[in-house]
Amino acid sequence: MISVSEAEKIILEQTINLPIEDCPTPEAIGKVLREDIKADRDFPPFDRVTMDGIAINYQYWENGQKKFLIEGVQTAGSPPFTLQKPDSALEIMTGAMLPTGCDAVIPVEEITFEEEGGKKFATITSTKLVHRQNIHPQGEDRKKDDILVSTNTLLSQAEIAVAVSVGKSTLKVTRKPAIAIVSTGNELVGIDEIPKPYQIRRSNSYALASALSNVGIKAQIWHLPDEQQVIEEKMSEIFRDFDVIITSGGVSKGKKDFVPLVMEKLQIPKVFHRIKQRPGKPLWFGKKDNKVVFGLPGNPVSTMVGLFRYVMPYLRKIEGINNKPKQFAVLSEDFSFDRELTYFLSVKIINKEGKLWANPIPGHGSGDFANLLDCDAFIELPAHEKNFLAGSVYPLIPFRNI
Ligand code: AMP
Ligand code: MG
């Protein structure tokens, strides 16, 4: 049996290659960029006016002039005017290019307008002006040809906005992995079925698929009975068509736990089986060709620990995201666990004074998946300690946004 950190290291070393594909930029949220995005122009591309008001030549105001003749109106989206008389002004709107001859913009709130003899004048009421005020200078934010977004960035709305602004209608991204979720168990029935007294409805596949859909992956779901032959036939088909296969159940030591045996029959080499942890000890991991199999134990809490502790970081890695820095939380009360196993404790997270506090809600074991309704995360308590003291800090594995 290997430790949690060994398992993590081994899994993250067994990467598979996912192809790069073109994705329409408006649909690229949540995908991983596989090219650099460069600025096609300066940001902003011209001296951009940032207030509705008037544009003047600053020097005249500094020399004591307060009243300016309005020569015209320049709105956003029109070519720049040129100030005809240097002591006049132009009415100007946010987003317009700074008119030639102007070098200060005074907002409407600091102006009174009046009409005299069919002409419009503006009087500046503010007593303080600064040269080039309310002008967002060309190239202040980024320069033409700067790399704005580097390859391997996970795309958020911020990157989408920048990509479209430089005219990129498609982006090179990592193709999302094709994932199959295969649950096993004769005691499990579907959502719409009425379970017999000795049956339950299967839920793991939907928990797994929902968590994957949250990171933009649409997985396909199968359910197989605990029959070696059936699992073998179906798994060999599924293995052909998918990059990552996640099984749930059938990996422990029961008489009907066929997943490890089937993998052996299908000649999918085992990388390891079993991790020194609770819950989720019997996890099986294998790799063949450019594909991997995560055999997660069926107890629903174990399945979630396996997913969030190992599968999710693995998916980030193969998609090309540099792994996220670990998150941590402070244990809010003493907790004991006296086995030499890493313990994944279910916790409710409270954000207090800028710190994440983890309140233990241990529940009734790995079958108690209703307990997760009250929790946000697991914290990872190391195998070599038995008593975990309030105030100590431990790695956090969230399964909700916190
Ligand atoms: P197994 O890992 O197959 O030995 O299953 C361990 C426990 O988890 C058993 O009590 C199963 O009934 C339960 N279990 C397995 N798969 C699922 C599933 N897909 N949904 C809910 N419970 C499951
Ligand atoms: Mg089973």
Side-chain angles (χ1 to χ4, degrees):
M1 238 190 331
I2 59 174
S3 70
V4 167
S5 55
E6 285 166 324
E8 175 187 37
K9 183 167 178 287
I10 294 169
I11 287 171
L12 294 179
E13 281 166 0
Q14 301 294 322
T15 48
I16 57 172
N17 292 319
L18 294 172
I20 294 174
E21 64 181 13
D22 290 316
C23 176
T25 306
E27 291 160 29
I29 185 107
K31 307 213 173 180
V32 178
L33 184 68
R34 299 300 292 277
E35 62 178 319
D36 291 335
I37 301 177
K38 286 188 175 179
D40 62 335
R41 312 156 79 192
D42 289 341
F43 269 53
F46 49 81
D47 285 346
R48 186 181 70 92
V49 169
T50 65
M51 288 279 191
D52 297 325
I54 59 166
I56 62 164
N57 185 321
Y58 176 78
Q59 200 193 312
Y60 288 84
W61 181 86
E62 203 181 34
N63 291 340
Q65 183 181 335
K66 298 292 171 272
K67 191 171 173 183
F68 292 78
L69 171 71
I70 302 290
E71 283 186 359
V73 182
Q74 192 188 318
T75 53
S78 47
F81 287 23
T82 299
L83 206 55
Q84 297 304 313
K85 287 175 62 207
D87 61 348
S88 307
L90 285 159
E91 267 193 274
I92 197 86
M93 307 299 143
T94 304
M97 195 169 183
L98 186 69
T100 311
C102 296
D103 56 6
V105 172
I106 298 93
V108 274
E109 293 80 2
E110 297 172 16
I111 296 163
T112 55
F113 288 104
E114 65 249 50
E115 299 258 340
E116 275 172 34
K119 288 184 173 161
K120 192 172 180 184
F121 291 87
T123 303
I124 299 172
T125 55
S126 62
T127 52
K128 258 197 190 154
L129 294 195
V130 178
H131 183 228
R132 293 192 66 80
Q133 69 173 30
N134 301 319
I135 297 160
H136 187 185
Q138 174 172 351
E140 182 180 52
D141 306 343
R142 298 289 189 275
K143 294 276 186 254
K144 182 176 191 291
D145 295 329
D146 277 357
I147 293 178
L148 302 173
V149 187
S150 309
T151 188
N152 292 62
T153 300
L154 176 63
L155 296 167
S156 75
Q157 73 292 332
E159 288 78 25
I160 303 292
V162 162
V164 297
S165 77
V166 301
K168 301 232 14 135
S169 55
T170 63
L171 293 173
K172 299 224 174 290
V173 299
T174 312
R175 167 170 68 63
K176 289 280 175 189
I179 299 189
I181 295 170
V182 186
S183 61
T184 62
N186 287 344
E187 74 280 29
L188 303 169
V189 300
I191 308 175
D192 298 327
E193 292 171 61
I194 307 291
K196 303 216 167 71
Y198 47 85
Q199 293 176 321
I200 57 169
R201 290 194 185 89
R202 54 180 176 264
S203 58
N204 285 346
S205 312
Y206 301 100
L208 290 164
S210 303
L212 293 172
S213 125
N214 238 351
V215 293
I217 296 171
K218 205 171 172 325
Q220 275 195 48
I221 292 178
W222 280 267
H223 182 71
L224 305 179
D226 290 320
E227 286 166 40
Q228 189 187 330
Q229 197 56 35
V230 178
I231 302 179
E232 211 173 301
E233 281 168 21
K234 202 66 205 168
M235 278 300 287
S236 91
E237 275 173 40
I238 293 170
F239 191 78
R240 255 199 333 257
D241 299 337
F242 290 84
D243 305 306
V244 176
I245 296 95
I246 304 173
T247 66
S248 130
V251 284
S252 5
K253 292 188 170 157
K255 288 218 155 60
K256 296 279 181 182
D257 289 338
F258 290 125
V259 171
L261 185 64
V262 165
M263 294 302 156
E264 198 184 316
K265 292 258 187 246
L266 295 177
Q267 298 182 338
I268 299 168
K270 172 180 91 178
V271 178
F272 67 77
H273 188 189
R274 283 189 269 279
I275 308 172
K276 288 186 217 156
Q277 69 175 56
R278 181 180 290 173
K281 184 163 78 174
L283 195 149
W284 189 98
F285 179 68
K287 180 171 186 244
K288 187 182 183 182
D289 306 329
N290 199 36
K291 294 153 187 285
V292 286
V293 179
F294 287 89
L296 305 183
N299 261 314
V301 181
S302 309
T303 314
M304 288 305 104
V305 168
L307 174 72
F308 286 98
R309 182 63 180 86
Y310 304 108
V311 181
M312 287 301 200
Y314 181 78
L315 298 178
R316 285 198 288 273
K317 174 102 192 248
I318 59 173
E319 281 198 63
I321 312 171
N322 300 325
N323 236 338
K324 282 207 292 206
K326 279 206 163 86
Q327 287 181 279
F328 294 89
V330 190
L331 188 61
S332 70
E333 54 189 75
D334 292 353
F335 187 81
S336 296
F337 178 69
D338 63 4
R339 302 285 304 277
E340 280 251 341
L341 298 170
T342 298
Y343 188 67
F344 290 96
L345 172 64
S346 315
V347 295
K348 173 90 197 154
I349 294 294
I350 311 288
N351 194 336
K352 208 167 62 195
E353 289 160 3
K355 267 192 199 165
L356 299 180
W357 290 84
N359 287 357
I361 306 189
H364 306 114
S366 56
D368 183 5
F369 63 105
N371 185 55
L372 298 184
L373 299 171
D374 298 328
C375 301
D376 304 301
F378 304 107
I379 56 168
E380 188 173 322
L381 304 177
H384 56 272
E385 285 170 42
K386 290 183 167 52
N387 297 308
F388 305 93
L389 301 180
S392 307
V393 173
Y394 296 104
L396 181 71
I397 298 105
F399 52 79
R400 270 183 222 283
N401 284 336
I402 46 176

